[in-house]
Amino acid sequence: MSEQYWVGGFFIDLSRNQITQNKQSQTIAPKALAVLTYLAKHQGKVVSHDTLLDKVWQKTTVSPNTLQKSIAQLRKALGDSGNVYIKTHAKQGYSLECDVRWHHENDIEASSAQINENEIATSNIDHTAAKKPLKASLGIVSIIAFITILGGIGFNLTTPKQPTKLSIEKIRALTATDNKEFSGIYSPDGQYVVFHRYSAEFCINHIWAKNTKTQQEFQLTKHLGAYGSHSFSKDGKNLVFIQSGSCNQPINQKQCYKLMTLDFNRALNSPQSPRELMECKNSIIQSPQWLNNNNISLLQKYSDSWKLISYSINENKSKMIYTIDNGNIIDYDYSATDNLIALTSIRNDGHLYIEILKPEGQLISSHRINYPEEIAQFRFIYPNFSPLDEQLIFSTGKQLFALSYNGQVTNISLPLDGPMSSPIFHPNGQQMLVIKGHYDSDIIAVTLPETEQASTVQKLNYSVLERSIVGEDKAIFQPNGDLIAYKSERSGEEQIWLTDGKSSQQISHFPIDAYIVGMNWAADGQSILANAIHELTQVFLDGNEKSFSLDHPVESLFQWDSDNQTALVNMRIKGKLKFAKLDLTNSQIQLINNKIVNWTQKSETGQLIYTDHMDRFWKPGPAEDQLIEALDGQGSDKRFVIRNNVIFGVNKGFQLWSYALDDDKFEILGKLPDNLNYVTDVNQSQLLASVRISSKKEVVELIVKE
């Protein structure tokens, strides 16, 4: 272990027992520095009092007060940052919540005496990277210019003291059609953009290519299919992608996944049928990347665990590249230029990490990602490689960030005027692709039929309750009141709104790039619990908010019992989804079962009903959960609601049905519109739902002015 390292902007020199910042050195007791060093070795993790005493004061009997004095000395030496850097965990221990960079003999700086103010200002950057030339200086230009053209002014990539104004020579929508286009990538020679064009009528897509110079388009696939993201072989001759479809005989999952390949040059002349390489019937595969060794990397999921695998075309077999025992993989990207894999994961401490791997699985580095204030603590990020040296790039929607290999995040943008995907760069680093989208949905009230339906299924009458040109959904009735709460993007961000049928008002104030996954009224109708950016917030009708401090991200909020302050949720624990009951008074978690739960509700009598990943309905039994056989084949992704012990659901044919839990009576009530998203609430006479008006995505190319 090196005798010199950085903790944030402080240089630690164990050989001199000194902590230095801005040329000012302090001599610290060796045992105190030993405590700091041990915490630095386990940065971001809680180290118990006993462990620190055993490791630092080996074979010496000391009181716990000795450790507290060392912590106090360290915090004093670290100044105002001391309490932030060294965090106390009640009855557990301490953790170092700051970036640590170890100093080696071949670093640019020879000793702490040579540290100057400029080096301190950049101490969070890996100095070994300074010896490596930029892969493409215009990569920085392209990123800065991207934001400049959208924001209308310049911005600063690394130092706010020296803003740089640049411009874009051209910005063009490559796929400006009435269709939905997405998953755009460049061919290795940069001549073509390959993308998906979605058919709203059939809910599947073709793969297309476009010549970036002539603008000529080519349909590559002969038949429509549910095709996923794609990747080129190194020579640009072949494409690889995932095709999903219903399993002929579903066992563990409804969808089966095939790894497909397509001859790109032949498809440019006439559409082709892709060739199957392998099929997965009991696992999910996604995100194929064609490696330089001609193998294909993939993410594969069994149950709730992801692993990174490598598939050999020649041997027709796969092997595991990387997995995480106490956590889960979130996403990855591959750089053919550097022959490296960048992988994001969530660990058992609940934090996100960035790992750099070789394609064979050798781990080069692993660092916790240090989120800035602009990014919510539980938000997942999906970075791509960039022309910046040892930095990736990602978008959170309206903001763009750089992520260094050592986990440092830098905001390199002003807020954008609309959400865009993370950029994918052209091989020359002077152009980039982003996916830009627009989504519009309305809230409708469906009139429930008063009498039993005729033998033929009739269309149900409905009226539009809330309409704008952006997404609006999640409408829920106020208990014992006349208000309806719903989610809307009409103010620029997803927020909670209220309507009395005549006028609407916004009551929440979530930050930029917020998104809401579940909301429920309190029993008294005076507040709403919302899952915004994986955190629970209680929003009161007067606009006041109360946040609940949780150790794990909430993936979905299903239902809230405000009287007992408990919630039914899907939580991500050690990176894996768990169906649980959450006590909001003490943050205690009670796991309900080990199944993958898509949606759940409780009846007024407290009976729990849920659907699994195969859209089957279940209810608790005396010894084990029981399948509701009467609802076999009636499940879908349109969710369900419960009122007066009656389940209201929607099947794949968009038929609204009811099922009485008391007498097992099942009835088809009528036909809902085909553009239904999902049902959200029901009362005695009406069903609330959201319908899709338009959903559009396009591939946009940005070109840097030389």
Side-chain angles (χ1 to χ4, degrees):
M1 179 61 67
S2 171
E3 290 190 338
Q4 297 173 333
Y5 59 96
W6 279 267
V7 173
F10 294 86
F11 182 77
I12 315 300
D13 191 344
L14 300 180
S15 64
R16 292 182 172 89
N17 295 327
Q18 288 181 341
I19 294 179
T20 302
Q21 185 189 42
N22 296 335
K23 296 184 179 180
Q24 300 297 318
S25 298
Q26 304 175 64
T27 301
I28 307 298
K31 290 298 185 183
L33 283 182
V35 171
L36 181 62
T37 302
Y38 194 85
L39 291 174
K41 292 178 182 179
H42 301 81
Q43 181 264 347
K45 298 180 180 179
V46 179
V47 181
S48 69
H49 302 96
D50 290 341
T51 298
L52 287 170
L53 290 169
D54 291 340
K55 297 296 182 182
V56 176
W57 288 273
Q58 298 179 11
K59 300 179 181 180
T60 303
T61 302
V62 295
S63 67
N65 188 46
T66 303
L67 174 59
Q68 294 171 5
K69 289 180 179 179
S70 293
I71 294 293
Q73 186 180 7
L74 290 171
R75 285 172 170 165
K76 182 178 179 180
L78 297 174
D80 294 338
S81 302
N83 288 319
V84 177
Y85 285 1
I86 302 177
K87 183 178 180 180
T88 300
H89 300 266
K91 299 181 180 180
Q92 297 182 56
Y94 301 95
S95 65
L96 186 63
E97 301 293 332
C98 179
D99 182 66
V100 175
R101 186 174 60 81
W102 299 99
H103 179 77
H104 302 284
E105 292 180 359
N106 60 349
D107 275 354
I108 293 176
E109 303 86 87
S111 70
S112 61
Q114 296 174 317
I115 298 178
N116 56 43
E117 293 180 3
N118 185 49
E119 290 168 330
I120 290 294
T122 58
S123 62
N124 286 335
I125 302 176
D126 188 350
H127 286 63
T128 59
K131 298 182 292 184
K132 302 177 183 179
L134 288 177
K135 300 174 192 173
S137 61
L138 283 176
I140 300 177
V141 174
S142 63
I143 297 170
I144 299 176
F146 168 42
I147 306 306
T148 301
I149 191 67
L150 295 172
I153 62 175
F155 70 94
N156 175 4
L157 178 61
T158 57
T159 308
K161 297 178 182 178
Q162 298 177 353
T164 303
K165 293 186 177 181
L166 297 171
S167 61
I168 291 288
E169 181 178 65
K170 188 180 296 184
I171 177 171
R172 57 182 179 180
L174 293 181
T175 58
T177 69
D178 290 329
N179 299 288
K180 182 196 296 184
E181 288 105 356
F182 52 96
S183 297
I185 63 170
Y186 287 106
S187 59
D189 60 7
Q191 185 178 352
Y192 293 93
V193 170
V194 175
F195 58 92
H196 294 323
R197 178 164 286 161
Y198 182 82
S199 168
E201 180 181 359
F202 299 103
C203 298
I204 46 181
N205 55 285
H206 273 302
I207 301 178
W208 286 73
K210 188 164 192 171
N211 189 304
T212 56
K213 293 183 179 179
T214 66
Q215 300 300 299
Q216 184 178 2
E217 290 189 349
F218 306 86
Q219 180 181 314
L220 302 181
T221 48
K222 191 173 184 179
H223 304 289
L224 285 165
Y227 304 125
S229 61
H230 37 246
S231 175
F232 269 101
S233 57
K234 185 178 180 180
D235 58 14
K237 293 182 179 180
N238 293 280
L239 279 168
V240 67
F241 48 89
I242 305 297
Q243 181 177 355
S244 61
S246 298
C247 295
N248 292 329
Q249 295 180 330
I251 300 176
N252 298 320
Q253 57 192 37
K254 296 179 68 174
Q255 296 287 311
C256 289
Y257 299 83
K258 297 179 180 180
L259 180 63
M260 313 293 287
T261 185
L262 188 72
D263 187 309
F264 182 63
N265 292 325
R266 290 183 61 188
L268 288 175
N269 293 320
S270 64
Q272 300 292 309
S273 296
R275 177 170 64 92
E276 180 182 326
L277 295 176
M278 71 171 183
E279 182 179 15
C280 293
K281 298 180 179 180
N282 298 298
S283 65
I284 298 172
I285 52 174
Q286 67 179 34
S287 305
Q289 296 272 7
W290 212 310
L291 306 175
N292 286 348
N293 61 8
N294 207 38
N295 287 350
I296 298 166
S297 60
L298 297 149
L299 285 178
Q300 184 176 29
K301 179 183 179 183
Y302 283 99
S303 183
D304 56 358
S305 297
W306 288 97
K307 62 182 179 179
L308 185 63
I309 66 171
S310 175
Y311 170 75
S312 170
I313 299 176
N314 295 332
E315 299 178 1
N316 190 30
K317 63 172 60 175
S318 63
K319 64 178 181 179
M320 195 261 295
I321 298 177
Y322 194 68
T323 189
I324 298 171
D325 294 331
N326 288 313
N328 220 347
I329 295 173
I330 302 302
D331 189 38
Y332 84 105
D333 191 30
Y334 172 68
S335 169
T337 302
D338 297 331
N339 196 33
L340 291 176
I341 290 172
L343 180 146
T344 52
S345 65
I346 186 170
R347 297 304 183 97
N348 59 352
D349 60 5
H351 294 293
L352 215 63
Y353 285 75
I354 176 69
E355 274 116 0
I356 305 299
L357 317 170
K358 290 186 177 180
E360 297 77 23
Q362 178 183 349
L363 181 64
I364 297 175
S365 66
S366 176
H367 292 278
R368 175 182 159 185
I369 299 175
N370 295 308
Y371 278 24
E373 292 182 356
E374 300 96 317
I375 304 179
Q377 64 168 331
F378 290 136
R379 185 175 195 129
F380 289 167
I381 61 175
Y382 304 90
N384 294 326
F385 279 98
S386 80
L388 294 169
D389 193 39
E390 297 197 356
Q391 293 197 72
L392 302 119
I393 207 85
F394 68 92
S395 168
T396 58
K398 297 180 181 179
Q399 299 179 98
L400 197 67
F401 297 88
L403 170 64
S404 67
Y405 288 5
N406 65 2
Q408 297 304 308
V409 176
T410 307
N411 190 331
I412 59 172
S413 72
L414 294 173
L416 308 180
D417 61 351
M420 290 189 180
S421 66
S422 297
I424 294 178
F425 286 87
H426 190 281
N428 65 16
Q430 296 178 284
Q431 298 151 250
M432 68 188 91
L433 296 177
V434 297
I435 306 300
K436 181 181 178 182
H438 175 78
Y439 181 75
D440 182 11
S441 62
D442 291 349
I443 294 169
I444 63 172
V446 180
T447 302
L448 296 177
E450 296 181 358
T451 58
E452 293 188 6
Q453 295 294 292
S455 57
T456 59
V457 178
Q458 303 292 321
K459 288 185 178 180
L460 296 173
N461 296 321
Y462 68 88
S463 59
V464 176
L465 289 185
E466 288 295 326
R467 164 74 186 137
S468 70
I469 60 172
V470 294
E472 301 188 301
D473 51 33
K474 296 181 173 63
I476 46 178
F477 291 111
Q478 180 188 31
N480 304 314
D482 299 323
L483 298 175
I484 292 176
Y486 61 98
K487 184 214 76 174
S488 176
E489 299 176 38
R490 61 179 66 181
S491 60
E493 305 293 336
E494 286 195 6
Q495 303 290 350
I496 299 175
W497 286 68
L498 297 176
T499 180
D500 59 3
K502 299 177 181 179
S503 62
S504 298
Q505 63 173 334
Q506 176 185 326
I507 63 168
S508 69
H509 299 89
F510 298 127
I512 186 172
D513 289 337
Y515 53 90
I516 300 170
V517 185
M519 43 191 271
N520 281 260
W521 280 99
D524 62 6
Q526 297 305 302
S527 64
I528 295 166
L529 185 69
N531 176 27
I533 331 178
H534 303 296
E535 297 182 279
L536 297 183
T537 302
Q538 186 175 359
V539 181
F540 296 86
L541 297 190
D542 61 5
N544 289 323
E545 297 180 358
K546 175 185 176 182
S547 298
F548 294 90
S549 179
L550 304 173
D551 295 328
H552 305 282
V554 177
E555 198 72 16
S556 304
L557 169 64
F558 298 121
Q559 204 160 29
W560 176 34
D561 181 352
S562 60
D563 292 333
N564 297 305
Q565 278 295 74
T566 61
L568 294 176
V569 298
N570 267 342
M571 294 195 79
R572 197 171 288 276
I573 302 174
K574 295 183 180 180
K576 299 173 183 178
L577 284 181
K578 300 295 182 181
F579 180 37
K581 179 181 179 181
L582 176 63
D583 190 329
L584 297 177
T585 62
N586 55 22
S587 300
Q588 293 297 310
I589 301 169
Q590 177 188 342
L591 298 183
I592 297 176
N593 59 41
N594 291 319
K595 293 182 180 179
I596 300 174
V597 173
N598 283 350
W599 189 252
T600 185
Q601 294 280 281
K602 265 189 177 181
S603 69
E604 290 85 350
T605 59
Q607 186 168 20
L608 181 71
I609 305 294
Y610 67 89
T611 53
D612 63 12
H613 65 293
M614 297 182 71
D615 295 326
R616 297 174 299 191
F617 283 81
W618 296 82
K619 63 181 179 180
E624 61 181 11
D625 291 355
Q626 298 176 342
L627 185 68
I628 303 179
E629 296 182 359
L631 298 181
D632 185 32
Q634 296 298 327
S636 71
D637 60 356
K638 309 305 177 186
R639 303 181 182 175
F640 64 90
V641 291
I642 301 178
R643 175 78 178 186
N644 295 330
N645 257 22
V646 177
I647 304 174
F648 295 86
V650 183
N651 60 28
K652 291 181 180 179
F654 294 94
Q655 294 175 335
L656 177 67
W657 51 261
S658 65
Y659 174 75
L661 292 168
D662 295 334
D663 57 11
D664 297 326
K665 181 181 179 181
F666 175 83
E667 184 180 4
I668 297 292
L669 302 179
K671 182 76 163 51
L672 292 170
D674 291 346
N675 61 339
L676 178 82
N677 284 334
Y678 43 77
V679 296
T680 57
D681 204 0
V682 66
N683 62 14
Q684 299 292 349
S685 59
Q686 290 183 317
L687 178 90
L688 296 180
S690 66
V691 292
R692 182 182 64 259
I693 303 303
S694 65
S695 179
K696 184 178 179 181
K697 292 184 179 180
E698 57 185 347
V699 184
V700 175
E701 183 179 54
L702 304 164
I703 303 174
V704 178
K705 184 176 182 180
E706 297 183 2

